[in-house]
Amino acid sequence: MDAAVCGPVEEGSVGVGTGMNCYGFKGGCGTSSRLVDYGPDRWMVGALVQANFGERRELTVAGVPVGRELLDDNPMEDADWHESARPLPGGSGSVIVILGTDAPLLPGQCKALARRAAIGLGRTGTTGGHFSGDIFLAFSTANAGTLSSEFPRAEPSADEYETLRFIPWGRMDRFYTAAVQAIEEAVLNALVANETMVGRNGHRSPGLPHDRLRELLKRS
């Protein structure tokens, strides 16, 4: 908390993302956001992702299956990379997705938003490995001061009610879209922001090769 600052969020191998690997490349933390126009109002949906999941061959960028073309230089599939002396099952790891919005959403709507995290991750190629621990959480900063609780001092008056303002359920689709797009981009940002890292015992996690990625996207 003491180190919290304003400004752009650091991405890549920072904080808890330092030891993360994603699709066989150096992973970590990524973030992205989308603006949602709603009548005269504009709301933001932001995503913070800790990316530590996926097999190399699964990686998909902008709909292009680039991972199958980047199978070389994947030391994490070598037996001697792991202290257990055997490779872990493909896709092992974990992913944490935090979605935050200033749109007025009910708790159930936040839960529905969090469920869309799987779709955003799937757009980057993963099918959700059995040995991947996945945590999705969404929150809204709207309706500040409501849902308060005070000791009652007398019988309730006729107007002693609280009011919650929220997006109608039938208008949630554009917020789901924003969440899916932001999560997909956050995963890719975590990869692109990184460089090759050598950790304990000489274990090397290669960075995503930007030049080869650009070439593959041009060819698609």
Side-chain angles (χ1 to χ4, degrees), residues 23 25 55-61 63-72 74 124-125 208 212-213 216 219:
Y23 291 114
F25 292 111
E55 289 189 77
R56 176 73 66 86
R57 67 187 70 253
E58 295 179 321
L59 177 59
T60 302
V61 177
V64 180
V66 298
R68 64 183 67 171
E69 304 293 335
L70 300 171
L71 296 178
D72 58 301
N74 190 2
T124 66
L208 179 68
R212 294 181 62 188
L213 175 61
L216 289 170
R219 285 163 39 190

Side-chain angles (χ1 to χ4, degrees), residues 181-193:
Q181 292 180 353
I183 291 166
E184 177 186 17
E185 186 173 290
V187 172
L188 300 180
N189 286 346
L191 288 166
V192 172

Side-chain angles (χ1 to χ4, degrees), residues 98-124:
I98 306 295
L99 289 165
T101 181
D102 55 357
L105 301 184
L106 296 171
Q109 292 174 317
C110 288
K111 186 175 182 178
L113 199 69
R115 285 177 173 153
R116 269 62 187 184
I119 302 176
L121 297 176
R123 286 170 62 146
T124 66

Side-chain angles (χ1 to χ4, degrees), residues 25 65 139 169 171 177 210:
F25 292 111
F139 66 90
W169 275 102
R171 297 285 190 179
T177 299
H210 294 181

Side-chain angles (χ1 to χ4, degrees), residues 40-213:
D41 299 320
R42 171 171 283 185
W43 307 107
M44 179 176 287
V45 177
L48 180 65
V49 176
Q50 179 180 292
N52 184 49
F53 67 95
E55 289 189 77
R56 176 73 66 86
R57 67 187 70 253
E58 295 179 321
L59 177 59
T60 302
V61 177
V64 180
V66 298
R68 64 183 67 171
E69 304 293 335
L70 300 171
L71 296 178
D72 58 301
D73 190 22
N74 190 2
M76 281 168 281
E77 288 193 357
D78 296 335
D80 58 358
W81 199 89
H82 302 279
E83 294 181 356
S84 61
R86 57 187 175 88
L88 299 177
S92 300
S94 62
V95 56
I96 300 175
V97 176
I98 306 295
L99 289 165
T101 181
D102 55 357
L105 301 184
L106 296 171
Q109 292 174 317
C110 288
K111 186 175 182 178
L113 199 69
R115 285 177 173 153
R116 269 62 187 184
I119 302 176
L121 297 176
R123 286 170 62 146
T124 66
T126 183
T127 54
H130 176 74
F131 293 99
S132 179
D134 308 334
I135 300 174
F136 308 146
L137 176 69
F139 66 90
S140 168
T141 60
N143 289 305
T146 57
L147 298 176
S148 59
S149 181
E150 299 178 353
F151 285 112
R153 301 186 181 280
E155 288 299 311
S157 61
D159 61 350
E160 192 173 342
Y161 293 91
E162 288 190 342
T163 301
L164 280 175
R165 182 173 181 242
F166 61 93
I167 302 294
W169 275 102
R171 297 285 190 179
M172 284 292 294
D173 281 357
R174 61 189 65 185
F175 294 94
Y176 298 151
T177 299
V180 169
Q181 292 180 353
I183 291 166
E184 177 186 17
E185 186 173 290
V187 172
L188 300 180
N189 286 346
L191 288 166
V192 172
N194 257 301
E195 297 178 350
T196 298
M197 177 179 286
V198 177
R200 187 178 62 179
N201 297 331
H203 292 171
R204 185 177 64 89
S205 180
L208 179 68
H210 294 181
D211 53 347
R212 294 181 62 188
L213 175 61

